[in-house]
Amino acid sequence: MNSTAISPLTVTPLGFIPDLKNATLVPFNETACENWKEIHHLVFHVANICFAVGLVIPTTLNFHMIFLRGLLTIGCALFIIWATLYRCALDIMIWNSVFLVVNLLHFIYLVYKRRPIKIEKELSSLYKRMFEPLHVPPELFQRLTGQFCNIQTLKTGQAYAAEDKTSVDDRLSILLKGKMKVSYRGHFLHNIYPCAFIDSPEFRSTQMNRGEKFQVTIIADDNCKFLCWSRERLTYFLESEPFLYEIFKYLIGKDITNKLYSLNDPTLNDKASKKIDRQPSLCSQLSVMQMRNSMASTSDSEDGLQMFLRGTSSASSLRNNQQEFCNAYGVGRLQHDALC
């Protein structure tokens, strides 16, 4: 018969005070450092300095991510040197090799994105005059002009559009070189100079109505070269780029306004048209204020133009030119009565 030995319970009497003086201390961590080792090699400290400097670079700095990845790459390379030559630690070398590859790939990618974008010589003046002042990045401009568009030429006397014959649904163009003449039923209206839209009124007035025809004749008055977009593909592209969409709304609205003012001054030349880019218009200060106030009160440049024309319709000469503008460019059937 097996008997189980019962160990007696240890009872601590009341009022017992443990002897702390003769107690043996058990180390909390058996791996605790008893003697600090010597300081590591200088390469180790330089690597950590690179990490520290990279992490404290302010994000407001233009190339802060490139500097960060570059310093991390240098730090990892120094850690590999330290672990290989002075520490002989395989695990440290392997981990830092992985970090080195990751940071180096990021560094190369960021430098590639920051590479200088080379804009074609034919388009450089267009970018500097129209898009660069509006802070359009060169890479975005390159995307805009590198797809679904081409550069076309016209010789002197050739027609870009014929009145009541050419459809307005196909394209949108900007004149790069030369001069074009716009006429309505044989009457001269105005000239078109480089870095100006050729068919901005038609593009704006027929966005909701397809199948319309040009109501003016546009003829090359000189050997011309122009940038031509496919209208449909440009519209899809602008829908995916809200920033460029707003830029185009502004540029087209401004171009329509400049064409309207040029009706009052048929002698407007290219030198004067360049001043329009720096000055809002060629009209009086009062008209400028009225135009700004009307356009500021609405998000649509066409509605702003309509309000401006209403406010200045008391002048008979402007009303006559306004009538020509409406008839020639077809601002829109629903707005024709309001404008003209």
Side-chain angles (χ1 to χ4, degrees):
M1 181 176 179
N2 297 330
S3 60
T4 303
I6 301 175
S7 57
L9 296 175
T10 303
V11 180
T12 302
L14 294 176
F16 173 77
I17 300 176
D19 187 5
L20 298 178
K21 292 182 180 181
N22 297 326
T24 303
L25 296 177
V26 178
F28 178 75
N29 185 0
E30 295 181 355
T31 61
C33 295
E34 296 180 357
N35 296 318
W36 291 95
K37 295 182 179 181
E38 69 278 1
I39 297 176
H40 289 295
H41 193 272
L42 179 63
V43 177
F44 174 84
H45 300 288
V46 175
N48 283 282
I49 290 174
C50 290
F51 292 152
V53 173
L55 293 174
V56 299
I57 294 177
T59 56
T60 55
L61 192 65
N62 193 19
F63 298 99
H64 75 280
M65 285 302 298
I66 294 180
F67 290 141
L68 172 61
R69 292 296 180 177
L71 289 170
L72 291 179
T73 300
I74 296 173
C76 290
L78 292 174
F79 257 121
I80 293 173
I81 295 173
W82 170 76
T84 304
L85 300 180
Y86 303 102
R87 190 68 179 176
C88 298
L90 182 62
D91 54 346
I92 298 177
M93 184 193 70
I94 293 175
W95 276 112
N96 281 276
S97 297
V98 174
F99 298 150
L100 174 65
V101 172
V102 172
N103 284 288
L104 184 60
L105 291 177
H106 273 280
F107 177 79
I108 294 174
Y109 173 71
L110 292 172
V111 172
Y112 175 77
K113 285 185 64 178
R114 288 285 185 172
R115 74 192 188 282
I117 302 299
K118 186 177 181 180
I119 299 175
E120 295 182 24
K121 186 177 180 180
E122 296 175 326
L123 302 176
S124 59
S125 59
L126 174 66
Y127 174 72
K128 292 179 180 179
R129 183 168 169 182
M130 295 183 65
F131 292 90
E132 187 177 31
L134 300 177
H135 306 288
V136 176
E139 57 271 16
L140 188 57
F141 177 77
Q142 190 179 52
R143 289 180 57 200
L144 175 67
T145 57
Q147 305 176 20
F148 51 83
C149 72
N150 51 60
I151 297 177
Q152 301 180 11
T153 58
L154 286 177
K155 294 183 179 180
T156 304
Q158 289 184 329
Y160 174 84
E163 185 176 337
D164 295 328
K165 294 182 179 180
T166 307
S167 173
V168 302
D169 296 339
D170 299 333
R171 56 186 174 175
L172 175 67
S173 304
I174 296 180
L175 186 62
L176 299 176
K177 181 181 178 182
K179 184 177 72 171
M180 290 185 174
K181 181 173 63 176
V182 182
S183 60
Y184 172 65
R185 295 181 181 178
H187 298 284
F188 171 76
L189 293 178
H190 63 83
N191 291 317
I192 300 176
Y193 294 99
C195 297
F197 285 96
I198 299 175
D199 43 7
S200 57
E202 289 79 12
F203 180 83
R204 185 67 186 91
S205 62
T206 59
Q207 283 184 334
M208 302 301 296
N209 300 317
R210 295 302 177 94
E212 297 287 337
K213 304 292 184 182
F214 273 89
Q215 298 182 23
V216 295
T217 298
I218 305 176
I219 298 178
D221 201 30
D222 196 356
N223 291 333
C224 296
K225 186 176 293 185
F226 58 92
L227 181 67
C228 182
W229 284 282
S230 167
R231 177 169 178 167
E232 184 177 1
R233 297 183 65 182
L234 175 63
T235 302
Y236 288 142
F237 177 75
L238 294 179
E239 288 177 353
S240 64
E241 294 288 345
F243 174 69
L244 266 184
Y245 176 76
E246 295 299 327
I247 293 294
F248 261 75
K249 280 183 61 178
Y250 167 77
L251 290 175
I252 290 175
K254 180 180 179 181
D255 188 80
I256 294 173
T257 305
N258 292 340
K259 283 179 169 56
L260 176 62
Y261 290 147
S262 66
L263 295 175
N264 291 326
D265 187 6
T267 62
L268 184 68
N269 54 22
D270 186 31
K271 184 177 180 180
S273 67
K274 290 181 180 179
K275 295 181 179 179
I276 297 178
D277 293 337
R278 298 187 293 269
Q279 300 174 358
S281 70
L282 300 176
C283 62
S284 64
Q285 292 297 324
L286 178 60
S287 298
V288 172
M289 293 175 60
Q290 292 174 348
M291 182 190 69
R292 286 177 175 173
N293 293 337
S294 62
M295 288 190 174
S297 63
T298 177
S299 60
D300 194 326
S301 59
E302 184 177 321
D303 295 337
L305 180 60
Q306 176 180 345
M307 295 176 63
F308 169 71
L309 292 175
R310 286 178 176 176
T312 57
S313 60
S314 57
S316 58
S317 61
L318 182 57
R319 172 168 285 279
N320 293 334
N321 288 328
Q322 179 183 335
Q323 179 71 32
E324 290 182 2
F325 184 83
C326 294
N327 293 334
Y329 284 111
V331 177
R333 299 182 185 278
L334 297 177
Q335 295 150 341
H336 187 277
D337 296 336
L339 273 171
C340 304

